[in-house]
Amino acid sequence: MRVDYLGLEAFVAIADYGSFQRAAESLHLSQAALSHRLRKIEQDLGSALLTRSSREVSLTQIGQGLLPEARKQLKALQDIYESVRAGAQRQARRLAFACLPSIANSVLPPVLMKMSEEHPQIAFELLDIPVDRISEAVRSGSAEFGLTIVSAELSDLRLRPLVDEDYRLFMRNDHPYSTRDSVTLADIEGVKLARIRSQSKNRELLDVAFGDMRDRIRWQFEVQNATMAMRLAARGAAMTILPESAIAMAPSSLVSVPFDGVRLQRTLGVVSRRGVPMSDTAADLLARIETELFENFRTHIALSSDRLSRPRG
């Protein structure tokens, strides 16, 4: 049976105030509406809860037994409501999003600084995590959106391409290649290189781009992340191939050189949940990030049909 919480509220208010008029005023109701709620709950229970005389309102025996339990249930409901409301208010003041570490380091600092100046009441939570964890963070709701590598594997999420980013060869600034305008795949055949683990999306993209030549590349080291690959390069132990934005995380002794004669790129995009609109603050932040991305990769904007047709704002 459905619990008539409005009727319980009316009953408790009348019992507490001892007056229909004062109870109605406390609930911002007319006396007629209050009386209707009381009659309805009495009909549902099949018993009178109050007796009303010209001078006073008193509880029946059934009403006396119901009153403490009704107060307890209404208090529990109020506590739950307040807890949910407080949580929603905290959530409204917190914006969580996910991003590739290299993009987070190279693109986000000025954007987040400006946003925090304009919205000091908002706490920003940046999940700078590997690509294989970004989609799950968005899917679970831990992040409102994610900046990731475009992949056909994310069919259950909305994925919108933004820009293409080149891969470059990273090396010490005293390496003979460091002063060149570009390098070719032939230049790196037989030299020591460090690559990211086989499950990495970066690794998969490079393997496809290298084609048959990938078997002639000397992968001296296989590491778990770009940071370790750059540390090896900074030591002169090997060179490594990483997205150009990784230079923001690189030691000062490293430089990067573009490739010539081969297309080594990854497409960056934004992933979000289908059918779940972003908050206004998240949409504002994403628009600013897009602008910064286009400035950083202005020659490689991914002009997908989805991006061209979507409304702004």
Side-chain angles (χ1 to χ4, degrees):
M1 179 179 176
R2 182 181 65 85
V3 177
D4 185 355
Y5 284 101
L6 293 179
L8 285 177
E9 183 184 48
F11 164 64
V12 170
I14 296 168
D16 287 344
Y17 285 97
S19 162
F20 273 73
Q21 180 180 349
R22 290 196 296 272
E25 290 172 352
S26 72
L27 297 177
H28 305 289
L29 296 172
S30 67
Q31 289 191 50
L34 182 71
S35 298
H36 174 75
R37 290 185 181 184
L38 179 64
R39 283 195 303 272
K40 188 173 184 302
I41 193 174
E42 288 179 329
Q43 290 172 358
D44 289 342
L45 295 173
S47 176
L49 300 176
L50 298 168
T51 58
R52 183 179 183 182
S53 67
S54 59
R55 293 186 176 182
E56 62 181 6
V57 175
S58 59
L59 301 180
T60 65
Q61 185 175 357
I62 296 295
Q64 291 174 9
L66 176 62
L67 183 59
E69 288 301 318
R71 282 178 175 149
K72 184 188 300 183
Q73 293 301 318
L74 290 174
K75 178 64 166 59
L77 182 63
Q78 182 180 20
D79 290 345
I80 293 172
Y81 183 86
E82 290 298 330
S83 175
V84 172
R85 184 171 66 174
Q89 290 174 343
R90 287 193 299 271
Q91 185 70 20
R93 293 193 296 269
R94 171 183 164 275
L95 172 55
F97 67 104
C99 185
L100 297 165
S102 60
I103 298 301
N105 280 271
S106 62
V107 172
L108 294 186
V111 175
L112 290 178
M113 180 178 176
K114 186 67 173 176
M115 280 286 291
S116 65
E117 290 173 350
E118 296 180 8
H119 302 279
Q121 77 282 7
I122 302 294
F124 297 91
E125 181 178 357
L126 167 60
L127 306 176
D128 48 339
I129 52 180
V131 63
D132 55 356
R133 292 172 54 196
I134 291 178
S135 58
E136 185 53 42
V138 174
R139 186 178 290 114
S140 67
S142 299
E144 283 208 55
F145 65 87
L147 297 170
T148 187
I149 300 175
V150 170
S151 170
E153 300 169 4
L154 304 179
S155 57
D156 62 323
L157 299 170
R158 183 171 181 263
L159 187 59
R160 178 164 52 84
L162 294 175
V163 296
D164 292 326
E165 179 182 16
D166 290 333
Y167 284 84
R168 298 167 71 106
L169 184 65
F170 284 65
M171 69 205 77
R172 280 173 58 105
N173 55 18
D174 58 357
H175 191 280
Y177 289 174
S178 64
T179 58
R180 296 177 57 167
D181 293 332
S182 64
V183 293
T184 66
L185 290 185
D187 291 327
I188 63 172
E189 187 173 352
V191 303
K192 294 180 181 180
L193 291 170
R195 67 177 173 181
I196 314 301
R197 60 193 173 91
S198 58
Q199 295 85 359
S200 164
K201 181 59 65 176
N202 287 328
R203 164 79 174 275
E204 294 174 11
L205 292 171
L206 291 178
D207 282 347
V208 171
F210 287 153
D212 294 337
M213 189 177 175
R214 67 176 178 269
D215 296 327
R216 304 199 303 273
I217 301 296
R218 183 182 176 185
W219 298 114
Q220 187 73 25
F221 303 98
E222 179 165 306
V223 298
Q224 294 299 301
N225 54 62
T227 301
M228 186 60 193
M230 288 189 288
R231 286 177 179 170
L232 288 170
R235 287 281 184 176
M239 293 186 288
T240 189
I241 302 172
L242 296 170
E244 61 179 289
S245 59
I247 198 67
M249 302 186 297
S252 59
S253 59
L254 285 191
V255 297
S256 67
V257 177
F259 281 91
D260 186 31
V262 62
R263 185 178 182 273
L264 295 180
Q265 289 182 336
R266 66 178 183 177
T267 300
L268 304 175
V270 56
V271 59
S272 57
R273 285 178 290 170
R274 292 186 182 276
V276 180
M278 290 185 196
S279 65
D280 291 342
T281 307
D284 182 16
L285 175 61
L286 179 56
R288 296 175 190 231
I289 293 174
E290 289 184 25
T291 298
E292 194 73 16
L293 281 172
F294 298 153
E295 286 296 317
N296 279 264
F297 305 105
R298 61 172 64 246
T299 60
H300 301 298
I301 297 177
L303 295 177
S304 69
S305 58
D306 179 66
R307 179 176 164 258
L308 288 173
S309 61
R310 72 183 180 90
R312 299 294 296 178

